[in-house]
Amino acid sequence: MTEQVLDELVDQLSQRLDELREHGRSRQRGGDRLRARGAGAKDKPTTADRVLATVLYLRKLGTRDLIAQLFGVNGSTTTRAVHQVRPLLAENGHTVAPSTARFRTPADVTAFIANSSPTKIKSAC
């Protein structure tokens, strides 16, 4: 998946993800907000992080715990992101095929990236 495709996917899913999160929080609170939108603690993973973590998980590149380590969150946060994003991917007709690569540790990911050939960028001129 190219960076451009991932950006388009994040743009496509971000509004719906935000609506679902707000609906869930409203249901949990039992009513309207007591504070203004944006007040309070911020979620650590951004919408883009949640979509990317889900794509990595669905590609089966690593375990839930490895993906959590890569994003600096715990495994349950990764699981929650996957449960939120996966239905939206299906709703929008996106399927993510499993990869043949598998990683066990962040060091494995770093080594893979270091050993992969750099992407050649064509000049605009």
Side-chain angles (χ1 to χ4, degrees):
M1 180 178 289
T2 65
E3 191 174 338
Q4 180 182 2
V5 171
L6 183 61
D7 286 343
E8 290 170 4
L9 184 60
V10 169
D11 289 342
Q12 189 177 32
L13 299 180
S14 63
Q15 181 179 357
R16 182 74 175 122
L17 269 172
D18 291 342
E19 288 171 3
L20 287 173
R21 285 181 49 209
E22 183 59 33
H23 177 71
R25 288 178 176 170
S26 177
R27 191 176 60 233
Q28 185 178 21
R29 280 190 307 266
D32 292 335
R33 298 177 154 273
L34 300 177
R35 292 187 235 170
R37 182 180 293 272
K42 304 294 181 239
D43 288 333
K44 192 163 190 177
T46 64
T47 301
D49 291 343
R50 293 188 345 233
V51 172
L52 179 57
T54 302
V55 169
L56 294 175
Y57 181 80
L58 294 175
R59 297 249 327 141
K60 299 183 180 180
L61 291 171
T63 64
R64 173 187 68 141
D65 293 329
L66 171 64
I67 294 169
Q69 285 179 9
L70 295 174
F71 286 93
V73 297
N74 62 31
S76 63
T77 302
T78 304
T79 300
R80 198 167 33 257
V82 170
H83 285 283
Q84 291 172 346
V85 175
R86 180 186 267 173
L88 295 179
L89 287 171
E91 212 175 89
N92 287 288
H94 295 284
T95 56
V96 180
S99 173
T100 57
R102 300 287 184 270
F103 304 107
R104 294 194 173 274
T105 66
D108 293 343
V109 176
T110 303
F112 177 79
I113 292 170
N115 292 331
S116 65
S117 61
T119 304
K120 301 209 180 202
I121 300 174
K122 295 179 183 178
S123 67
C125 303

PDB file of all heavy atoms in Angstrom, residues 16-56:
ATOM      1  N   ARG A  16     -16.006   9.127   9.834  1.00  0.00           N
ATOM      2  CA  ARG A  16     -16.861   8.057  10.376  1.00  0.00           C
ATOM      3  C   ARG A  16     -16.301   7.503  11.680  1.00  0.00           C
ATOM      4  O   ARG A  16     -17.049   7.229  12.611  1.00  0.00           O
ATOM      5  CB  ARG A  16     -17.000   6.954   9.325  1.00  0.00           C
ATOM      6  CG  ARG A  16     -17.894   5.833   9.748  1.00  0.00           C
ATOM      7  CD  ARG A  16     -19.370   6.248   9.699  1.00  0.00           C
ATOM      8  NE  ARG A  16     -20.163   5.074  10.010  1.00  0.00           N
ATOM      9  CZ  ARG A  16     -21.024   5.002  11.005  1.00  0.00           C
ATOM     10  NH1 ARG A  16     -21.253   6.055  11.752  1.00  0.00           N
ATOM     11  NH2 ARG A  16     -21.691   3.904  11.240  1.00  0.00           N
ATOM     12  N   LEU A  17     -14.981   7.361  11.768  1.00  0.00           N
ATOM     13  CA  LEU A  17     -14.359   6.896  13.015  1.00  0.00           C
ATOM     14  C   LEU A  17     -14.617   7.875  14.153  1.00  0.00           C
ATOM     15  O   LEU A  17     -14.932   7.469  15.282  1.00  0.00           O
ATOM     16  CB  LEU A  17     -12.847   6.734  12.830  1.00  0.00           C
ATOM     17  CG  LEU A  17     -12.360   5.378  12.386  1.00  0.00           C
ATOM     18  CD1 LEU A  17     -10.874   5.420  12.067  1.00  0.00           C
ATOM     19  CD2 LEU A  17     -12.637   4.337  13.431  1.00  0.00           C
ATOM     20  N   ASP A  18     -14.476   9.162  13.868  1.00  0.00           N
ATOM     21  CA  ASP A  18     -14.733  10.176  14.891  1.00  0.00           C
ATOM     22  C   ASP A  18     -16.193  10.140  15.357  1.00  0.00           C
ATOM     23  O   ASP A  18     -16.476  10.271  16.543  1.00  0.00           O
ATOM     24  CB  ASP A  18     -14.373  11.574  14.371  1.00  0.00           C
ATOM     25  CG  ASP A  18     -12.879  11.762  14.195  1.00  0.00           C
ATOM     26  OD1 ASP A  18     -12.101  10.973  14.772  1.00  0.00           O
ATOM     27  OD2 ASP A  18     -12.481  12.697  13.463  1.00  0.00           O
ATOM     28  N   GLU A  19     -17.112   9.950  14.413  1.00  0.00           N
ATOM     29  CA  GLU A  19     -18.535   9.856  14.777  1.00  0.00           C
ATOM     30  C   GLU A  19     -18.798   8.640  15.663  1.00  0.00           C
ATOM     31  O   GLU A  19     -19.529   8.729  16.657  1.00  0.00           O
ATOM     32  CB  GLU A  19     -19.395   9.752  13.510  1.00  0.00           C
ATOM     33  CG  GLU A  19     -19.483  11.024  12.709  1.00  0.00           C
ATOM     34  CD  GLU A  19     -20.154  10.810  11.357  1.00  0.00           C
ATOM     35  OE1 GLU A  19     -20.608   9.674  11.078  1.00  0.00           O
ATOM     36  OE2 GLU A  19     -20.212  11.772  10.582  1.00  0.00           O
ATOM     37  N   LEU A  20     -18.212   7.509  15.305  1.00  0.00           N
ATOM     38  CA  LEU A  20     -18.400   6.297  16.100  1.00  0.00           C
ATOM     39  C   LEU A  20     -17.828   6.442  17.506  1.00  0.00           C
ATOM     40  O   LEU A  20     -18.431   6.006  18.487  1.00  0.00           O
ATOM     41  CB  LEU A  20     -17.748   5.093  15.406  1.00  0.00           C
ATOM     42  CG  LEU A  20     -18.473   4.568  14.183  1.00  0.00           C
ATOM     43  CD1 LEU A  20     -17.640   3.487  13.494  1.00  0.00           C
ATOM     44  CD2 LEU A  20     -19.833   4.026  14.570  1.00  0.00           C
ATOM     45  N   ARG A  21     -16.665   7.058  17.614  1.00  0.00           N
ATOM     46  CA  ARG A  21     -16.048   7.270  18.934  1.00  0.00           C
ATOM     47  C   ARG A  21     -16.903   8.194  19.781  1.00  0.00           C
ATOM     48  O   ARG A  21     -17.113   7.958  20.963  1.00  0.00           O
ATOM     49  CB  ARG A  21     -14.642   7.832  18.773  1.00  0.00           C
ATOM     50  CG  ARG A  21     -13.671   6.754  18.326  1.00  0.00           C
ATOM     51  CD  ARG A  21     -12.277   7.232  18.166  1.00  0.00           C
ATOM     52  NE  ARG A  21     -11.826   7.983  19.293  1.00  0.00           N
ATOM     53  CZ  ARG A  21     -10.923   8.949  19.213  1.00  0.00           C
ATOM     54  NH1 ARG A  21     -10.390   9.261  18.059  1.00  0.00           N
ATOM     55  NH2 ARG A  21     -10.543   9.604  20.273  1.00  0.00           N
ATOM     56  N   GLU A  22     -17.406   9.262  19.191  1.00  0.00           N
ATOM     57  CA  GLU A  22     -18.237  10.205  19.939  1.00  0.00           C
ATOM     58  C   GLU A  22     -19.530   9.537  20.379  1.00  0.00           C
ATOM     59  O   GLU A  22     -19.992   9.739  21.504  1.00  0.00           O
ATOM     60  CB  GLU A  22     -18.529  11.448  19.094  1.00  0.00           C
ATOM     61  CG  GLU A  22     -19.319  12.506  19.817  1.00  0.00           C
ATOM     62  CD  GLU A  22     -18.637  13.021  21.071  1.00  0.00           C
ATOM     63  OE1 GLU A  22     -17.395  13.092  21.114  1.00  0.00           O
ATOM     64  OE2 GLU A  22     -19.351  13.352  22.052  1.00  0.00           O
ATOM     65  N   HIS A  23     -20.127   8.733  19.517  1.00  0.00           N
ATOM     66  CA  HIS A  23     -21.353   8.027  19.865  1.00  0.00           C
ATOM     67  C   HIS A  23     -21.095   7.064  21.033  1.00  0.00           C
ATOM     68  O   HIS A  23     -21.895   6.999  21.975  1.00  0.00           O
ATOM     69  CB  HIS A  23     -21.891   7.271  18.661  1.00  0.00           C
ATOM     70  CG  HIS A  23     -23.108   6.459  18.957  1.00  0.00           C
ATOM     71  ND1 HIS A  23     -24.336   7.024  19.217  1.00  0.00           N
ATOM     72  CD2 HIS A  23     -23.276   5.123  19.075  1.00  0.00           C
ATOM     73  CE1 HIS A  23     -25.209   6.064  19.470  1.00  0.00           C
ATOM     74  NE2 HIS A  23     -24.595   4.898  19.393  1.00  0.00           N
ATOM     75  N   GLY A  24     -19.987   6.333  20.964  1.00  0.00           N
ATOM     76  CA  GLY A  24     -19.639   5.410  22.042  1.00  0.00           C
ATOM     77  C   GLY A  24     -19.397   6.125  23.351  1.00  0.00           C
ATOM     78  O   GLY A  24     -19.821   5.669  24.425  1.00  0.00           O
ATOM     79  N   ARG A  25     -18.723   7.245  23.292  1.00  0.00           N
ATOM     80  CA  ARG A  25     -18.460   8.017  24.512  1.00  0.00           C
ATOM     81  C   ARG A  25     -19.744   8.607  25.077  1.00  0.00           C
ATOM     82  O   ARG A  25     -19.936   8.662  26.286  1.00  0.00           O
ATOM     83  CB  ARG A  25     -17.439   9.115  24.223  1.00  0.00           C
ATOM     84  CG  ARG A  25     -16.055   8.564  24.019  1.00  0.00           C
ATOM     85  CD  ARG A  25     -15.077   9.646  23.692  1.00  0.00           C
ATOM     86  NE  ARG A  25     -13.747   9.087  23.594  1.00  0.00           N
ATOM     87  CZ  ARG A  25     -12.711   9.737  23.136  1.00  0.00           C
ATOM     88  NH1 ARG A  25     -12.848  10.989  22.711  1.00  0.00           N
ATOM     89  NH2 ARG A  25     -11.534   9.154  23.063  1.00  0.00           N
ATOM     90  N   SER A  26     -20.637   9.053  24.199  1.00  0.00           N
ATOM     91  CA  SER A  26     -21.917   9.591  24.661  1.00  0.00           C
ATOM     92  C   SER A  26     -22.732   8.511  25.361  1.00  0.00           C
ATOM     93  O   SER A  26     -23.324   8.748  26.410  1.00  0.00           O
ATOM     94  CB  SER A  26     -22.699  10.161  23.472  1.00  0.00           C
ATOM     95  OG  SER A  26     -23.952  10.619  23.887  1.00  0.00           O
ATOM     96  N   ARG A  27     -22.732   7.325  24.765  1.00  0.00           N
ATOM     97  CA  ARG A  27     -23.443   6.201  25.370  1.00  0.00           C
ATOM     98  C   ARG A  27     -22.822   5.833  26.726  1.00  0.00           C
ATOM     99  O   ARG A  27     -23.527   5.566  27.688  1.00  0.00           O
ATOM    100  CB  ARG A  27     -23.414   5.005  24.426  1.00  0.00           C
ATOM    101  CG  ARG A  27     -24.328   3.882  24.842  1.00  0.00           C
ATOM    102  CD  ARG A  27     -24.364   2.740  23.843  1.00  0.00           C
ATOM    103  NE  ARG A  27     -23.034   2.185  23.674  1.00  0.00           N
ATOM    104  CZ  ARG A  27     -22.403   2.017  22.511  1.00  0.00           C
ATOM    105  NH1 ARG A  27     -23.005   2.381  21.403  1.00  0.00           N
ATOM    106  NH2 ARG A  27     -21.214   1.499  22.440  1.00  0.00           N
ATOM    107  N   GLN A  28     -21.501   5.884  26.804  1.00  0.00           N
ATOM    108  CA  GLN A  28     -20.804   5.561  28.047  1.00  0.00           C
ATOM    109  C   GLN A  28     -21.104   6.608  29.126  1.00  0.00           C
ATOM    110  O   GLN A  28     -21.297   6.272  30.289  1.00  0.00           O
ATOM    111  CB  GLN A  28     -19.298   5.491  27.782  1.00  0.00           C
ATOM    112  CG  GLN A  28     -18.477   5.051  28.962  1.00  0.00           C
ATOM    113  CD  GLN A  28     -16.992   4.968  28.604  1.00  0.00           C
ATOM    114  OE1 GLN A  28     -16.532   5.585  27.641  1.00  0.00           O
ATOM    115  NE2 GLN A  28     -16.258   4.209  29.378  1.00  0.00           N
ATOM    116  N   ARG A  29     -21.142   7.877  28.728  1.00  0.00           N
ATOM    117  CA  ARG A  29     -21.434   8.962  29.676  1.00  0.00           C
ATOM    118  C   ARG A  29     -22.892   8.952  30.097  1.00  0.00           C
ATOM    119  O   ARG A  29     -23.242   9.445  31.158  1.00  0.00           O
ATOM    120  CB  ARG A  29     -21.153  10.324  29.018  1.00  0.00           C
ATOM    121  CG  ARG A  29     -19.749  10.767  28.974  1.00  0.00           C
ATOM    122  CD  ARG A  29     -19.658  12.230  28.515  1.00  0.00           C
ATOM    123  NE  ARG A  29     -20.341  12.498  27.272  1.00  0.00           N
ATOM    124  CZ  ARG A  29     -19.785  12.489  26.074  1.00  0.00           C
ATOM    125  NH1 ARG A  29     -18.524  12.209  25.940  1.00  0.00           N
ATOM    126  NH2 ARG A  29     -20.489  12.759  25.005  1.00  0.00           N
ATOM    127  N   GLY A  30     -23.741   8.492  29.192  1.00  0.00           N
ATOM    128  CA  GLY A  30     -25.167   8.504  29.473  1.00  0.00           C
ATOM    129  C   GLY A  30     -25.841   9.809  29.109  1.00  0.00           C
ATOM    130  O   GLY A  30     -26.931  10.107  29.579  1.00  0.00           O
ATOM    131  N   GLY A  31     -25.201  10.601  28.261  1.00  0.00           N
ATOM    132  CA  GLY A  31     -25.823  11.860  27.850  1.00  0.00           C
ATOM    133  C   GLY A  31     -24.850  12.775  27.147  1.00  0.00           C
ATOM    134  O   GLY A  31     -23.826  12.354  26.624  1.00  0.00           O
ATOM    135  N   ASP A  32     -25.203  14.068  27.158  1.00  0.00           N
ATOM    136  CA  ASP A  32     -24.387  15.069  26.476  1.00  0.00           C
ATOM    137  C   ASP A  32     -23.070  15.306  27.199  1.00  0.00           C
ATOM    138  O   ASP A  32     -22.904  14.979  28.367  1.00  0.00           O
ATOM    139  CB  ASP A  32     -25.162  16.393  26.380  1.00  0.00           C
ATOM    140  CG  ASP A  32     -26.357  16.279  25.455  1.00  0.00           C
ATOM    141  OD1 ASP A  32     -26.324  15.417  24.566  1.00  0.00           O
ATOM    142  OD2 ASP A  32     -27.318  17.049  25.639  1.00  0.00           O
ATOM    143  N   ARG A  33     -22.173  15.951  26.475  1.00  0.00           N
ATOM    144  CA  ARG A  33     -20.856  16.309  27.024  1.00  0.00           C
ATOM    145  C   ARG A  33     -20.998  17.291  28.171  1.00  0.00           C
ATOM    146  O   ARG A  33     -21.863  18.146  28.160  1.00  0.00           O
ATOM    147  CB  ARG A  33     -20.014  17.028  25.977  1.00  0.00           C
ATOM    148  CG  ARG A  33     -19.698  16.244  24.786  1.00  0.00           C
ATOM    149  CD  ARG A  33     -18.910  17.135  23.797  1.00  0.00           C
ATOM    150  NE  ARG A  33     -18.112  16.270  22.983  1.00  0.00           N
ATOM    151  CZ  ARG A  33     -16.903  15.861  23.309  1.00  0.00           C
ATOM    152  NH1 ARG A  33     -16.330  16.290  24.390  1.00  0.00           N
ATOM    153  NH2 ARG A  33     -16.248  15.032  22.542  1.00  0.00           N
ATOM    154  N   LEU A  34     -20.081  17.173  29.122  1.00  0.00           N
ATOM    155  CA  LEU A  34     -20.014  18.157  30.196  1.00  0.00           C
ATOM    156  C   LEU A  34     -18.952  19.204  29.904  1.00  0.00           C
ATOM    157  O   LEU A  34     -18.987  20.295  30.455  1.00  0.00           O
ATOM    158  CB  LEU A  34     -19.708  17.459  31.533  1.00  0.00           C
ATOM    159  CG  LEU A  34     -20.749  16.423  31.963  1.00  0.00           C
ATOM    160  CD1 LEU A  34     -20.304  15.740  33.250  1.00  0.00           C
ATOM    161  CD2 LEU A  34     -22.104  17.066  32.154  1.00  0.00           C
ATOM    162  N   ARG A  35     -18.022  18.837  29.055  1.00  0.00           N
ATOM    163  CA  ARG A  35     -16.959  19.761  28.654  1.00  0.00           C
ATOM    164  C   ARG A  35     -17.039  19.994  27.158  1.00  0.00           C
ATOM    165  O   ARG A  35     -17.633  19.206  26.426  1.00  0.00           O
ATOM    166  CB  ARG A  35     -15.585  19.162  28.952  1.00  0.00           C
ATOM    167  CG  ARG A  35     -15.287  19.025  30.393  1.00  0.00           C
ATOM    168  CD  ARG A  35     -13.850  18.599  30.541  1.00  0.00           C
ATOM    169  NE  ARG A  35     -13.817  17.391  31.343  1.00  0.00           N
ATOM    170  CZ  ARG A  35     -12.769  16.646  31.509  1.00  0.00           C
ATOM    171  NH1 ARG A  35     -11.652  16.943  30.928  1.00  0.00           N
ATOM    172  NH2 ARG A  35     -12.813  15.586  32.254  1.00  0.00           N
ATOM    173  N   ALA A  36     -16.364  21.022  26.708  1.00  0.00           N
ATOM    174  CA  ALA A  36     -16.336  21.327  25.282  1.00  0.00           C
ATOM    175  C   ALA A  36     -15.559  20.265  24.524  1.00  0.00           C
ATOM    176  O   ALA A  36     -14.662  19.627  25.078  1.00  0.00           O
ATOM    177  CB  ALA A  36     -15.698  22.695  25.056  1.00  0.00           C
ATOM    178  N   ARG A  37     -15.903  20.074  23.275  1.00  0.00           N
ATOM    179  CA  ARG A  37     -15.176  19.133  22.424  1.00  0.00           C
ATOM    180  C   ARG A  37     -13.703  19.536  22.404  1.00  0.00           C
ATOM    181  O   ARG A  37     -13.371  20.699  22.243  1.00  0.00           O
ATOM    182  CB  ARG A  37     -15.745  19.156  21.012  1.00  0.00           C
ATOM    183  CG  ARG A  37     -15.069  18.174  20.072  1.00  0.00           C
ATOM    184  CD  ARG A  37     -15.680  18.252  18.694  1.00  0.00           C
ATOM    185  NE  ARG A  37     -17.048  17.786  18.669  1.00  0.00           N
ATOM    186  CZ  ARG A  37     -17.411  16.527  18.476  1.00  0.00           C
ATOM    187  NH1 ARG A  37     -16.489  15.610  18.315  1.00  0.00           N
ATOM    188  NH2 ARG A  37     -18.678  16.183  18.443  1.00  0.00           N
ATOM    189  N   GLY A  38     -12.823  18.547  22.564  1.00  0.00           N
ATOM    190  CA  GLY A  38     -11.388  18.820  22.550  1.00  0.00           C
ATOM    191  C   GLY A  38     -10.798  18.992  23.935  1.00  0.00           C
ATOM    192  O   GLY A  38      -9.586  18.995  24.092  1.00  0.00           O
ATOM    193  N   ALA A  39     -11.642  19.160  24.954  1.00  0.00           N
ATOM    194  CA  ALA A  39     -11.130  19.294  26.316  1.00  0.00           C
ATOM    195  C   ALA A  39     -10.812  17.908  26.859  1.00  0.00           C
ATOM    196  O   ALA A  39     -11.308  16.905  26.378  1.00  0.00           O
ATOM    197  CB  ALA A  39     -12.175  19.972  27.202  1.00  0.00           C
ATOM    198  N   GLY A  40      -9.973  17.844  27.859  1.00  0.00           N
ATOM    199  CA  GLY A  40      -9.649  16.567  28.487  1.00  0.00           C
ATOM    200  C   GLY A  40      -8.450  15.901  27.839  1.00  0.00           C
ATOM    201  O   GLY A  40      -7.782  16.453  26.970  1.00  0.00           O
ATOM    202  N   ALA A  41      -8.169  14.692  28.278  1.00  0.00           N
ATOM    203  CA  ALA A  41      -7.012  13.952  27.797  1.00  0.00           C
ATOM    204  C   ALA A  41      -7.174  13.574  26.325  1.00  0.00           C
ATOM    205  O   ALA A  41      -8.273  13.289  25.865  1.00  0.00           O
ATOM    206  CB  ALA A  41      -6.818  12.695  28.638  1.00  0.00           C
ATOM    207  N   LYS A  42      -6.079  13.597  25.630  1.00  0.00           N
ATOM    208  CA  LYS A  42      -6.086  13.246  24.205  1.00  0.00           C
ATOM    209  C   LYS A  42      -5.759  11.765  24.053  1.00  0.00           C
ATOM    210  O   LYS A  42      -4.988  11.201  24.806  1.00  0.00           O
ATOM    211  CB  LYS A  42      -5.031  14.062  23.453  1.00  0.00           C
ATOM    212  CG  LYS A  42      -5.175  15.564  23.613  1.00  0.00           C
ATOM    213  CD  LYS A  42      -6.438  16.062  22.965  1.00  0.00           C
ATOM    214  CE  LYS A  42      -6.561  17.546  23.102  1.00  0.00           C
ATOM    215  NZ  LYS A  42      -7.730  17.984  23.792  1.00  0.00           N
ATOM    216  N   ASP A  43      -6.344  11.154  23.030  1.00  0.00           N
ATOM    217  CA  ASP A  43      -6.007   9.779  22.711  1.00  0.00           C
ATOM    218  C   ASP A  43      -4.587   9.739  22.177  1.00  0.00           C
ATOM    219  O   ASP A  43      -4.186  10.615  21.405  1.00  0.00           O
ATOM    220  CB  ASP A  43      -6.946   9.219  21.646  1.00  0.00           C
ATOM    221  CG  ASP A  43      -8.343   8.965  22.197  1.00  0.00           C
ATOM    222  OD1 ASP A  43      -8.452   8.730  23.411  1.00  0.00           O
ATOM    223  OD2 ASP A  43      -9.289   9.006  21.404  1.00  0.00           O
ATOM    224  N   LYS A  44      -3.846   8.726  22.568  1.00  0.00           N
ATOM    225  CA  LYS A  44      -2.480   8.625  22.088  1.00  0.00           C
ATOM    226  C   LYS A  44      -2.418   8.298  20.595  1.00  0.00           C
ATOM    227  O   LYS A  44      -1.745   8.978  19.849  1.00  0.00           O
ATOM    228  CB  LYS A  44      -1.706   7.603  22.905  1.00  0.00           C
ATOM    229  CG  LYS A  44      -0.234   7.651  22.655  1.00  0.00           C
ATOM    230  CD  LYS A  44       0.526   6.942  23.727  1.00  0.00           C
ATOM    231  CE  LYS A  44       1.998   7.229  23.548  1.00  0.00           C
ATOM    232  NZ  LYS A  44       2.790   6.632  24.584  1.00  0.00           N
ATOM    233  N   PRO A  45      -3.116   7.245  20.139  1.00  0.00           N
ATOM    234  CA  PRO A  45      -3.057   6.998  18.698  1.00  0.00           C
ATOM    235  C   PRO A  45      -4.007   7.916  17.933  1.00  0.00           C
ATOM    236  O   PRO A  45      -5.168   8.070  18.293  1.00  0.00           O
ATOM    237  CB  PRO A  45      -3.490   5.535  18.556  1.00  0.00           C
ATOM    238  CG  PRO A  45      -4.283   5.242  19.779  1.00  0.00           C
ATOM    239  CD  PRO A  45      -3.785   6.173  20.852  1.00  0.00           C
ATOM    240  N   THR A  46      -3.494   8.516  16.886  1.00  0.00           N
ATOM    241  CA  THR A  46      -4.327   9.369  16.035  1.00  0.00           C
ATOM    242  C   THR A  46      -5.196   8.484  15.155  1.00  0.00           C
ATOM    243  O   THR A  46      -5.031   7.265  15.120  1.00  0.00           O
ATOM    244  CB  THR A  46      -3.446  10.259  15.146  1.00  0.00           C
ATOM    245  OG1 THR A  46      -2.701   9.407  14.264  1.00  0.00           O
ATOM    246  CG2 THR A  46      -2.500  11.123  15.968  1.00  0.00           C
ATOM    247  N   THR A  47      -6.088   9.098  14.412  1.00  0.00           N
ATOM    248  CA  THR A  47      -6.918   8.342  13.489  1.00  0.00           C
ATOM    249  C   THR A  47      -6.053   7.624  12.465  1.00  0.00           C
ATOM    250  O   THR A  47      -6.273   6.452  12.151  1.00  0.00           O
ATOM    251  CB  THR A  47      -7.920   9.274  12.780  1.00  0.00           C
ATOM    252  OG1 THR A  47      -8.730   9.904  13.779  1.00  0.00           O
ATOM    253  CG2 THR A  47      -8.801   8.520  11.817  1.00  0.00           C
ATOM    254  N   ALA A  48      -5.045   8.315  11.953  1.00  0.00           N
ATOM    255  CA  ALA A  48      -4.132   7.699  10.984  1.00  0.00           C
ATOM    256  C   ALA A  48      -3.398   6.513  11.612  1.00  0.00           C
ATOM    257  O   ALA A  48      -3.222   5.473  10.961  1.00  0.00           O
ATOM    258  CB  ALA A  48      -3.131   8.725  10.472  1.00  0.00           C
ATOM    259  N   ASP A  49      -2.987   6.653  12.873  1.00  0.00           N
ATOM    260  CA  ASP A  49      -2.319   5.552  13.572  1.00  0.00           C
ATOM    261  C   ASP A  49      -3.243   4.353  13.708  1.00  0.00           C
ATOM    262  O   ASP A  49      -2.835   3.203  13.521  1.00  0.00           O
ATOM    263  CB  ASP A  49      -1.857   5.974  14.964  1.00  0.00           C
ATOM    264  CG  ASP A  49      -0.716   6.965  14.959  1.00  0.00           C
ATOM    265  OD1 ASP A  49      -0.046   7.106  13.915  1.00  0.00           O
ATOM    266  OD2 ASP A  49      -0.493   7.602  16.008  1.00  0.00           O
ATOM    267  N   ARG A  50      -4.494   4.601  14.021  1.00  0.00           N
ATOM    268  CA  ARG A  50      -5.449   3.506  14.204  1.00  0.00           C
ATOM    269  C   ARG A  50      -5.702   2.770  12.890  1.00  0.00           C
ATOM    270  O   ARG A  50      -5.791   1.546  12.859  1.00  0.00           O
ATOM    271  CB  ARG A  50      -6.746   4.030  14.808  1.00  0.00           C
ATOM    272  CG  ARG A  50      -6.522   4.515  16.232  1.00  0.00           C
ATOM    273  CD  ARG A  50      -7.744   4.885  17.009  1.00  0.00           C
ATOM    274  NE  ARG A  50      -8.964   5.081  16.301  1.00  0.00           N
ATOM    275  CZ  ARG A  50      -9.713   6.157  16.395  1.00  0.00           C
ATOM    276  NH1 ARG A  50      -9.351   7.140  17.169  1.00  0.00           N
ATOM    277  NH2 ARG A  50     -10.844   6.246  15.740  1.00  0.00           N
ATOM    278  N   VAL A  51      -5.803   3.520  11.795  1.00  0.00           N
ATOM    279  CA  VAL A  51      -6.008   2.894  10.487  1.00  0.00           C
ATOM    280  C   VAL A  51      -4.763   2.095  10.096  1.00  0.00           C
ATOM    281  O   VAL A  51      -4.861   0.936   9.671  1.00  0.00           O
ATOM    282  CB  VAL A  51      -6.354   3.943   9.405  1.00  0.00           C
ATOM    283  CG1 VAL A  51      -6.364   3.323   8.016  1.00  0.00           C
ATOM    284  CG2 VAL A  51      -7.695   4.598   9.712  1.00  0.00           C
ATOM    285  N   LEU A  52      -3.577   2.678  10.274  1.00  0.00           N
ATOM    286  CA  LEU A  52      -2.341   1.988   9.922  1.00  0.00           C
ATOM    287  C   LEU A  52      -2.145   0.743  10.783  1.00  0.00           C
ATOM    288  O   LEU A  52      -1.769  -0.315  10.275  1.00  0.00           O
ATOM    289  CB  LEU A  52      -1.139   2.921  10.060  1.00  0.00           C
ATOM    290  CG  LEU A  52       0.222   2.313   9.734  1.00  0.00           C
ATOM    291  CD1 LEU A  52       0.244   1.755   8.311  1.00  0.00           C
ATOM    292  CD2 LEU A  52       1.312   3.347   9.926  1.00  0.00           C
ATOM    293  N   ALA A  53      -2.404   0.844  12.072  1.00  0.00           N
ATOM    294  CA  ALA A  53      -2.269  -0.319  12.953  1.00  0.00           C
ATOM    295  C   ALA A  53      -3.209  -1.439  12.507  1.00  0.00           C
ATOM    296  O   ALA A  53      -2.829  -2.613  12.515  1.00  0.00           O
ATOM    297  CB  ALA A  53      -2.555   0.080  14.401  1.00  0.00           C
ATOM    298  N   THR A  54      -4.400  -1.083  12.110  1.00  0.00           N
ATOM    299  CA  THR A  54      -5.363  -2.084  11.639  1.00  0.00           C
ATOM    300  C   THR A  54      -4.886  -2.741  10.353  1.00  0.00           C
ATOM    301  O   THR A  54      -4.959  -3.961  10.207  1.00  0.00           O
ATOM    302  CB  THR A  54      -6.746  -1.449  11.428  1.00  0.00           C
ATOM    303  OG1 THR A  54      -7.174  -0.872  12.664  1.00  0.00           O
ATOM    304  CG2 THR A  54      -7.765  -2.466  10.958  1.00  0.00           C
ATOM    305  N   VAL A  55      -4.375  -1.949   9.427  1.00  0.00           N
ATOM    306  CA  VAL A  55      -3.860  -2.499   8.174  1.00  0.00           C
ATOM    307  C   VAL A  55      -2.687  -3.442   8.458  1.00  0.00           C
ATOM    308  O   VAL A  55      -2.620  -4.551   7.907  1.00  0.00           O
ATOM    309  CB  VAL A  55      -3.455  -1.376   7.195  1.00  0.00           C
ATOM    310  CG1 VAL A  55      -2.683  -1.928   6.001  1.00  0.00           C
ATOM    311  CG2 VAL A  55      -4.687  -0.611   6.720  1.00  0.00           C
ATOM    312  N   LEU A  56      -1.780  -3.038   9.337  1.00  0.00           N
ATOM    313  CA  LEU A  56      -0.647  -3.902   9.691  1.00  0.00           C
ATOM    314  C   LEU A  56      -1.129  -5.191  10.338  1.00  0.00           C
ATOM    315  O   LEU A  56      -0.614  -6.273  10.048  1.00  0.00           O
ATOM    316  CB  LEU A  56       0.311  -3.171  10.630  1.00  0.00           C
ATOM    317  CG  LEU A  56       1.049  -1.973  10.052  1.00  0.00           C
ATOM    318  CD1 LEU A  56       1.865  -1.280  11.137  1.00  0.00           C
ATOM    319  CD2 LEU A  56       1.930  -2.382   8.883  1.00  0.00           C
TER     320      LEU A  56
END
